[in-house]
Amino acid sequence: MAIKVLSVFGTRPEAIKMAPVVRALDEDPRFVSRVLVTAQHREMLDQVLDFFSIRPDHDLNIMTQGQTLEQITSRALEGVGEVLRAERPDLVLVHGDTTTTFAATLAAFYEGIPVGHIEAGMRTGDRRQPFPEEINRTLVARMTHYNFAPSDECVRNLEREDIDRERIIRTDHNTGIDSLLLARKLMEQQGVVPEPTKHILVTAHRRESWGEQMRGIFAAIADIAKARPDYHISLTTHANPIVANDAHEILADIPNVSLLDHQSYEEFIVLMAHSQLILTDSGGIQEEGPTLGIPVVVLRNMTEYNELLDEGVVFLAGTLREGIVAKALEVLDDPDVSVKVQSFAHDRAQRSSIPAILDTLFQGIGH
């Protein structure tokens, strides 16, 4: 009998990283695949669903203007619980560290349904950075049946938290890499093959940086633009006006800086592929950039991707203006970085995490 798997996600990053898993489940006769979206993010989520041709079986549509973490959590918890009681899946799949992930895991735990957690074990060690993601993923690990860890560091993190070793499954990498490689293949089939130019891509949105820190980040981008007038810098502004307003106030009048509205997934891949450097406080982009052969400077005080720091393809700049400028210019001017990141990209393109996930689910739930 086929195993019924309910995949639950609610934000654009989750949808991106779950897309190759959902597609693989759909194509595998061992599974009955069902999809539930909370729509914690609405428009950004829909763009990814359309790109990968994913049609949810359930859509909670919980997003409201100015929503709080408490509202997201309570709406997702109640809505997911109702779907679980109607569907009675054999297993729930969640991804990463969002509020949707935490609420869906808690709902499944209440219903006695096993959970598989993809991208398990990511940690900074600081409960407030990133906020609320660090505490979300730590709590999820205690409730899940399968922790799919994308790196040796993630495995060690889970072991230090006394997660049973038989509940930890090492995958080749994050499924976001599988998604990126799949998306690039689909785009190449359509004749879209962007090449690097003198371009720097910037994204900044982390909740713990809102306010003075975020304004300092944008001031650093202004300094970099003036120091490298031959480079064009694109900043994708976040939908939240708290971030967008600061970006426009500080950067709007600088001639070699473009402030872009939120991009579709396909448009964003093109922006990444056109770049020689990415500056970001995102988690997933820290992996996606090097997978495309582009070094990443991280606009945070700590990162979950310490193995990428060791590889020499990701660089931690912090959130202070002077440190960001110094690190960005250092990476741009270092020819060894390009060699390392190209080798890294070649290696990542040869592997996939999907078989380890599906085979584990079939062997564990089906037998």
Side-chain angles (χ1 to χ4, degrees):
M1 181 180 294
I3 301 165
K4 188 185 223 183
V5 177
L6 179 69
S7 300
V8 184
F9 47 94
T11 68
R12 167 184 160 130
E14 286 171 284
I16 289 170
K17 295 174 182 181
M18 286 294 283
V21 181
V22 170
R23 287 171 64 107
L25 286 168
D26 285 340
E27 296 169 0
D28 194 321
R30 298 176 296 177
F31 301 96
V32 173
S33 176
R34 306 283 282 173
V35 174
L36 162 63
V37 297
T38 65
Q40 176 181 332
H41 296 166
R42 180 74 271 173
E43 182 180 354
M44 294 184 286
L45 170 70
D46 290 343
Q47 291 172 351
V48 177
L49 296 177
D50 289 342
F51 180 78
F52 286 107
S53 300
I54 295 173
R55 299 291 174 260
D57 301 287
H58 304 275
D59 189 335
L60 301 184
N61 195 29
I62 67 171
M63 180 176 173
T64 60
Q65 189 68 29
Q67 61 192 1
T68 65
L69 291 174
E70 293 88 350
Q71 290 168 335
I72 298 169
T73 304
S74 59
R75 290 173 187 148
L77 180 61
E78 183 175 5
V80 173
E82 291 177 359
V83 173
L84 292 178
R85 288 186 287 275
E87 286 279 3
R88 299 310 306 176
D90 298 302
L91 181 120
V92 171
L93 270 184
V94 297
H95 187 285
D97 51 25
T98 69
T99 303
T100 286
T101 294
F102 168 65
T105 302
L106 185 58
F109 179 75
Y110 285 163
E111 294 296 322
I113 299 171
V115 176
H117 181 206
I118 299 171
E119 196 187 70
M122 306 292 285
R123 300 288 186 272
T124 64
D126 185 329
R127 295 191 302 171
R128 305 292 297 187
Q129 297 190 68
F131 175 82
E133 289 83 0
E134 179 77 0
I135 203 67
N136 284 344
R137 56 198 178 198
T138 303
L139 293 172
V140 165
R142 311 304 303 180
M143 295 184 281
T144 51
H145 193 79
Y146 299 108
N147 289 278
F148 295 105
S151 70
D152 292 337
E153 180 182 10
C154 289
V155 171
R156 291 192 295 270
N157 289 339
L158 292 166
E159 289 176 333
R160 278 195 294 269
E161 294 171 6
D162 293 325
I163 303 299
D164 293 340
R165 188 59 183 85
E166 59 268 23
R167 291 168 51 202
I168 304 171
I169 298 89
R170 171 72 157 89
T171 60
D172 273 336
H173 48 236
N174 196 310
T175 57
I177 302 307
D178 298 288
S179 185
L180 179 62
L181 296 174
L182 171 62
R184 186 171 64 178
K185 179 180 178 181
L186 294 173
M187 291 167 61
E188 288 173 350
Q189 291 172 352
Q190 300 169 2
V192 180
V193 188
E195 297 293 336
T197 61
K198 282 200 167 184
H199 180 254
I200 299 170
L201 176 62
V202 184
T203 78
H205 72 281
R206 293 239 70 92
R207 185 181 295 263
E208 66 268 20
S209 295
W210 289 359
E212 196 59 38
Q213 274 194 159
M214 189 65 72
R215 287 189 286 274
I217 289 171
F218 294 148
I221 303 308
D223 292 343
I224 294 167
K226 294 169 185 174
R228 290 290 188 274
D230 53 331
Y231 277 81
H232 192 86
I233 300 175
S234 295
L235 170 70
T236 60
T237 57
H238 196 259
N240 193 303
I242 293 175
V243 178
N245 291 344
D246 284 343
H248 280 274
E249 179 183 338
I250 295 170
L251 296 168
D253 295 329
I254 299 176
N256 60 325
V257 175
S258 295
L259 300 180
L260 307 177
D261 291 335
H262 205 86
Q263 304 290 292
S264 71
Y265 183 47
E266 183 176 5
E267 290 169 335
F268 191 75
I269 292 174
V270 171
L271 279 174
M272 285 197 292
H274 274 316
S275 303
Q276 292 186 9
L277 179 67
I278 298 173
L279 285 76
T280 187
D281 60 7
S282 165
I285 296 172
Q286 293 179 52
E287 281 196 294
E288 291 171 344
T291 297
L292 293 176
I294 306 151
V296 171
V297 170
V298 182
L299 307 175
R300 289 162 59 178
N301 295 314
M302 53 186 63
T303 178
E304 308 89 334
Y305 295 92
N306 291 298
E307 291 181 347
L308 298 183
L309 294 178
D310 295 340
E311 292 266 8
V313 297
V314 164
F315 305 86
L316 198 61
T319 58
L320 297 180
R321 180 176 180 174
E322 295 80 6
I324 293 169
V325 175
K327 183 58 68 174
L329 298 181
E330 175 189 330
V331 173
L332 272 180
D333 294 338
D334 188 345
D336 291 339
V337 171
S338 179
V339 175
K340 291 179 181 178
V341 80
Q342 291 302 323
S343 175
F344 179 91
H346 179 268
D347 177 64
R348 279 294 173 96
Q350 312 306 311
R351 297 183 280 144
S352 173
S353 290
I354 307 301
I357 295 171
L358 268 59
D359 290 347
T360 297
L361 298 183
F362 181 71
Q363 292 165 11
I365 302 296
H367 294 80

